[in-house]
Amino acid sequence: MDIRTLSAATGYAAARPATQADPEFTGATPGERAKASFENFTNTLQQGEQMSVQAMTGNGDPHALVQALAQTELAVETAVTVRNKVVEAYQEILRMPV
């Protein structure tokens, strides 16, 4: 069996739970969900920074660095998309006739 197949299967298995509801948030308020999302975002950025520092000092694994940077990029793109949706909703509210 090819090593890339194993890697792809592992990646798919790790990504699959992302499409399912998180049981941790079944009874959580929207504020608690937002707080957890912000904490996850912060942790992702910190992990990316730590991996970058390790790579610059020669102690890091290049594959782990690429993975951490990809996760950081995805987190930032998600945050920007959410921000854009919030701004669009605010603009729609401003356009409503009173």
Side-chain angles (χ1 to χ4, degrees):
M1 181 177 272
D2 188 19
I3 188 95
R4 290 175 289 185
T5 306
L6 292 174
S7 178
T10 304
Y12 175 73
R16 189 170 181 191
T19 61
Q20 299 170 354
D22 191 355
E24 179 182 332
F25 291 121
T26 52
T29 64
E32 291 172 344
R33 289 185 217 160
K35 180 180 177 185
S37 296
F38 293 139
E39 289 173 352
N40 288 339
F41 177 74
T42 303
N43 291 338
T44 301
L45 292 181
Q46 288 174 347
Q47 288 174 347
E49 289 176 359
Q50 289 172 354
M51 292 303 298
S52 297
V53 169
Q54 288 177 358
M56 284 188 252
T57 59
N59 298 330
D61 178 28
H63 298 290
L65 174 65
V66 170
Q67 184 178 11
L69 291 177
Q71 289 175 346
T72 302
E73 181 182 6
L74 181 62
V76 170
E77 287 176 358
T78 303
V80 169
T81 301
V82 170
R83 183 211 54 194
N84 290 344
K85 291 291 183 182
V86 169
V87 169
E88 287 176 18
Y90 179 72
Q91 289 173 343
E92 284 294 319
I93 291 171
L94 288 178
R95 287 189 212 122
M96 286 182 175
V98 179

